[in-house]
Amino acid sequence: MAIEKYSKEHEWVRVDGDVATIGITVHAQEQLGDLVFVEVPEVGRKVAAEEACAVVESVKAASDVYAPVSGEVVEANDALGTNPGLVNEDAEGKAWLFKIRLSKPAELDALMDRAAYDDFVANG
Amino acid sequence: MSADPTTGTPNRRTFLYDEHVASGAKVVPFAGYDMPVQYPLGVLKEHLWTREKAGLFDVSHMGLCWLHGPDHETTARALEALLPADILNLKPGQQRYSQLLADDGGILDDLMVTRPAGAEGDGTLMLVVNAGCKDEDYRHIAAKLPAGVRLEIDHERSLIALQGPKAVGALRGFIPGVEQMTFMSGRTATLDGHRVHVTRSGYTGEDGYEIAVLNDHVASAWKLLTAHSDVEPIGLGARDSLRLEAGLCLYGHDIDTSTSPIEARLQWSIQQRRRTEGGFPGASRITAELANGPSRRRVGIKPSGRAPAREGTEIRDANGKPIGTITSGGFGPSVNGPVAMGYVESDHAALGTPIQLVVRGKPMPATIVNLPFTPHRYVR
């Protein structure tokens, strides 16, 4: 079974082998409102955990998306460039943002599981 | 209830607060008030709805006040000492946009001035100023008024705005005759059995009305209007994207004490008589800028790609030299792309000039374009 983790910055991480798929949570897109622009990182970019590497923008504001884990970007969801609203429709499914080949898998341990994330959202 | 993070003072609520909460609005602090930023429809759909049908806005946070003097000429001249518009020649029922000016010609606030229709209102002017400036505006105005002219801050009325191409059709069902009003005019009327003041004006670029309603009756007026099938309540989020597409200035962003009306390209709001006679704060600077052109100007900016360029973004010329800053920028739902306004050195302000916008450290191509982005649809 794939490992699913969540960050305090409201990103989700789904790990399959040594590749992590990353997006923003349903809660995050609700807070942001209608998204009108998404910028994903270039394939091949090496990112460190907590580094800003994607941008999601609503009508009113731009928000950074941080890499919850370190590694190299191996794939980005270019479909979001022409259809940013997909993040509002399916944030934790089709609207994944990018995939990272993990360089420090132990970083996953610092992230929350679903129950802990739900509690974090509910109680801060 | 949210509070000011520095003082802990609770935010004020308008008389429509309960309506907003009941409608499922997302409420945020704005200019000292808890205001609806969006309703369940969301900013994008609220914006498009207003352009296509009619949106109802709670603008009760804005400052409604009155000047009272013995006759129109006395009151008009008192106000003309504070701003550059021709108030003396306002006809009864006519409205004008203007700016309160500092002595150096910088803009203290922008506002709407209406001369009430009918002889009983002679000597009275209705002013609507910005929420975030109103307390300072009131102090400024009161301190500058001559003996015999008095400022009355209106705490008894709320303000709502019905905007969009279907506004006239919706409102005439409740106030027969509003369809005959022209843009920038005002009159009293009866709505739902109560006295209101209506102007045909707004802040979206669309046809529409702004209505002053007694506080005790505003919730029922709101319910009545939103029950119309063409009318949806619209929050501050869409209000901002609508006015940006319409090329309208937002005080504190596109205009402030560091900008003159000429730099802001608001010279259309300074009538010829005032240009000739002067007699308003900053007249020497403004006259010189009218004659020689200002060193910088507000312009429309169209980014070439999809990425919005936000307020504060550096503007560079085609060779990479800094020439200005974006003062309002975002996504225009009707344009279906990014739109912005900002100030550039006048040498670079010509329509069609290619420029660069530095977004997240990267120069992005953009062009100086005409304002507005969406054509105004005022009924003149």
Side-chain angles (χ1 to χ4, degrees):
Chain A
M1 196 179 132
I3 301 165
E4 279 195 2
K5 294 282 192 175
Y6 299 85
S7 77
K8 288 186 174 175
E9 305 291 343
H10 304 282
E11 290 102 8
W12 56 263
V13 184
R14 204 165 292 143
V15 184
D16 190 6
D18 65 347
V19 174
T21 304
I22 289 148
I24 66 169
T25 63
V26 169
H27 171 76
Q29 68 79 24
E30 278 171 3
Q31 296 300 306
L32 293 165
D34 298 320
L35 294 184
V36 296
F37 179 77
V38 174
E39 187 176 88
V40 291
E42 284 176 23
V43 170
R45 178 172 159 188
K46 290 192 170 62
V47 297
E50 297 178 15
E51 182 179 327
C53 61
V55 178
V56 290
E57 303 203 22
S58 66
V59 175
K60 189 70 186 145
S63 305
D64 286 319
V65 179
Y66 302 92
V69 286
S70 306
E72 181 181 339
V73 177
V74 292
E75 198 177 342
N77 192 349
D78 294 322
L80 300 176
T82 50
N83 186 15
L86 191 62
V87 179
N88 297 111
E89 291 162 26
D90 195 9
E92 297 184 24
K94 290 196 193 87
W96 59 275
L97 295 174
F98 53 92
K99 298 183 182 183
I100 283 180
R101 178 163 290 119
L102 298 171
S103 60
K104 296 178 183 170
E107 287 170 345
L108 291 166
D109 298 338
L111 300 173
M112 293 176 277
D113 63 15
R114 185 80 213 189
Y117 176 71
D118 287 344
D119 182 64
F120 172 71
V121 168
N123 302 311
Chain B
M1 189 186 299
S2 57
D4 184 298
T6 51
T7 62
T9 310
N11 281 318
R12 287 184 268 185
R13 291 174 173 181
T14 73
F15 283 80
L16 291 167
Y17 179 84
D18 291 345
E19 300 304 315
H20 304 321
V21 171
S23 306
K26 183 174 166 187
V27 172
V28 299
F30 180 81
Y33 284 81
D34 283 328
M35 295 298 289
V37 66
Q38 65 176 73
Y39 296 86
L41 206 52
V43 177
L44 267 184
K45 291 196 180 89
E46 289 174 29
H47 176 115
L48 296 170
W49 181 278
T50 306
R51 288 257 185 266
E52 195 183 326
K53 297 190 172 186
L56 188 64
F57 302 75
D58 179 9
V59 289
S60 305
H61 57 313
M62 298 191 73
L64 174 62
C65 64
W66 305 80
L67 296 184
H68 299 292
D71 53 69
H72 176 65
E73 180 172 351
T74 306
T75 312
R77 288 201 187 277
L79 186 57
E80 284 193 354
L82 307 180
L83 51 74
D86 185 343
I87 305 301
L88 189 60
N89 290 303
L90 267 186
K91 296 179 194 73
Q94 193 182 3
Q95 183 177 42
R96 255 179 195 154
Y97 168 79
S98 191
Q99 309 85 34
L100 294 174
L101 296 179
D103 288 337
D104 65 357
I107 302 174
L108 299 171
D109 196 6
D110 61 344
L111 76 166
M112 294 289 236
V113 181
T114 309
R115 180 179 179 186
E120 78 273 16
D122 201 40
T124 293
L125 293 169
M126 183 179 100
L127 275 50
V128 179
V129 302
N130 278 299
C133 303
K134 63 183 179 183
D135 295 331
E136 277 183 49
D137 288 350
Y138 296 154
R139 273 195 292 276
H140 172 74
I141 294 168
K144 302 273 180 175
L145 288 178
V149 181
R150 153 178 88 80
L151 172 72
E152 179 202 359
I153 301 165
D154 193 331
H155 296 293
E156 288 162 12
R157 284 173 184 81
S158 298
L159 272 178
I160 56 178
L162 185 66
Q163 299 281 298
K166 305 278 192 185
V168 55
L171 193 60
R172 70 183 291 186
F174 304 110
I175 309 178
V178 289
E179 72 280 4
Q180 288 160 22
M181 297 175 71
T182 52
F183 182 58
M184 299 296 275
S185 71
R187 53 167 276 210
T188 52
T190 304
L191 173 63
D192 196 24
H194 302 290
R195 203 86 169 136
V196 297
H197 189 272
V198 186
T199 60
R200 197 161 193 172
S201 57
Y203 193 47
T204 59
E206 297 298 322
D207 182 29
Y209 300 86
E210 294 182 313
I211 312 164
V213 187
L214 284 170
N215 295 333
D216 287 347
H217 306 308
V218 72
S220 62
W222 181 269
K223 285 192 191 101
L224 192 70
L225 290 168
T226 51
H228 192 287
S229 60
D230 284 337
V231 179
E232 283 285 340
I234 309 295
L236 292 180
R239 182 169 160 84
D240 189 53
S241 55
L242 288 159
R243 71 89 199 166
L244 172 57
E245 282 185 343
L248 301 172
C249 291
L250 175 61
Y251 191 82
H253 301 261
D254 308 300
I255 49 176
D256 58 29
T257 52
S258 76
T259 55
S260 79
I262 311 308
E263 291 175 331
R265 290 207 317 181
L266 300 172
Q267 55 264 41
W268 57 268
S269 66
I270 308 177
Q271 287 74 27
Q272 189 58 49
R273 191 192 120 244
R274 301 304 311 277
R275 297 185 192 198
T276 310
E277 294 178 7
F280 51 86
S284 59
R285 171 187 179 181
I286 286 167
T287 308
E289 287 182 352
L290 279 167
N292 309 320
S295 59
R296 58 173 189 160
R297 286 175 214 264
R298 181 172 64 96
V299 293
I301 294 163
K302 184 80 192 79
S304 307
R306 295 291 297 172
R310 306 286 176 177
E311 179 178 359
T313 298
E314 182 180 287
I315 306 171
R316 296 179 180 170
D317 71 7
N319 301 317
K321 182 175 82 89
I323 54 167
T325 309
I326 284 183
T327 51
S328 281
F331 181 84
S334 301
V335 170
N336 190 23
V339 291
M341 300 195 288
Y343 284 82
V344 297
E345 294 170 10
S346 295
D347 293 349
H348 301 275
L351 297 184
T353 304
I355 55 171
Q356 299 174 349
L357 308 174
V358 184
V359 176
R360 289 181 282 280
K362 285 178 286 191
M364 320 267 263
T367 310
I368 306 284
V369 297
N370 210 358
L371 291 171
F373 293 97
T374 50
H376 293 161
R377 295 197 283 182
Y378 306 137
V379 176
R380 293 183 191 272

